[in-house]
Every structure is written in C-alpha cells, then in structure tokens.
Amino acid sequence: MYGYGGFNISLSPTYSVSRMIFIKNLGGVYCHVNLRGGGEYGKEWHHGGSLANKQNVFNDFISAAETLHEMKYTSPDKLAIEGGSNGGLLVAACANQRP
C-alpha cells in the first residue's frame, strides 16, 4: 500500500515494471491511496490533511488498510506500507499508531 498525502501534490496512477512483477509473479496486490492533504480533489481536500488536520491523513491511510483487510485483499500479517519523503512521515506515524 502506497501513500503520500501532502503539500497539495497529486499522485496519478503510473505503470511500474517492478510492481507488475510483484502482482503477476508473486500474487501481490498493490494499492495506491489518495489521501487528504494531496491535491487530487482540490483545495478543501488539501486543507483537510494539512497542518492541524494532519491526523486525517494518517486516519485515511489506516482506514484504507482496514478496508483492504475487510474486503479480503490482504491480512494484517501480509500488509506492507510504503511512502517516501512526506510519505515516510505517513508510514512512520501509521506504524506507530497502528503497529
């Protein structure tokens, strides 16, 4: 599961050879989460995950993970989370809030 959720940056779907190998050859599932704080849905969406609202970003990511589990795409023991830069903050916060 990948997320960023910050600085009004929109993350569009992209093709990745390494992710395709993970999906096709290793039976993986990849989830790219659009989180409040990003720019995908306008200013209100961005402000919903900025500054004093930053916890919303973490809650959104945790909720996405719970949904993947509830829908039987994965289980907590198989779920991996990834993010770089601001997404690294996201991953660290979520790993500490919901280990």
Side-chain angles (χ1 to χ4, degrees):
M1 196 169 87
Y2 179 85
Y4 186 79
F7 299 101
N8 203 27
I9 294 173
S10 299
L11 298 180
S12 301
T14 59
Y15 180 80
S16 166
V17 172
S18 60
R19 288 183 187 135
M20 190 55 68
I21 290 170
F22 170 69
I23 292 166
K24 287 190 65 111
N25 297 337
L26 301 174
V29 174
Y30 177 77
C31 178
H32 180 110
V33 186
N34 286 335
L35 303 162
R36 284 179 282 183
E40 292 86 359
Y41 301 108
K43 286 184 181 184
E44 193 172 320
W45 180 259
H46 167 62
H47 292 300
S50 298
L51 303 171
N53 298 318
K54 191 65 177 174
Q55 183 62 46
N56 289 336
V57 180
F58 311 144
N59 294 343
D60 290 350
F61 200 64
I62 291 167
S63 180
E66 290 171 344
T67 299
L68 289 174
H69 172 63
E70 289 167 8
M71 296 181 74
K72 310 253 188 263
Y73 283 105
T74 191
S75 61
D77 59 316
K78 292 183 177 180
L79 180 69
I81 58 177
E82 175 189 10
S85 187
N86 186 66
L89 167 68
L90 167 71
V91 168
C94 291
N96 280 286
Q97 290 182 19
R98 292 292 298 275

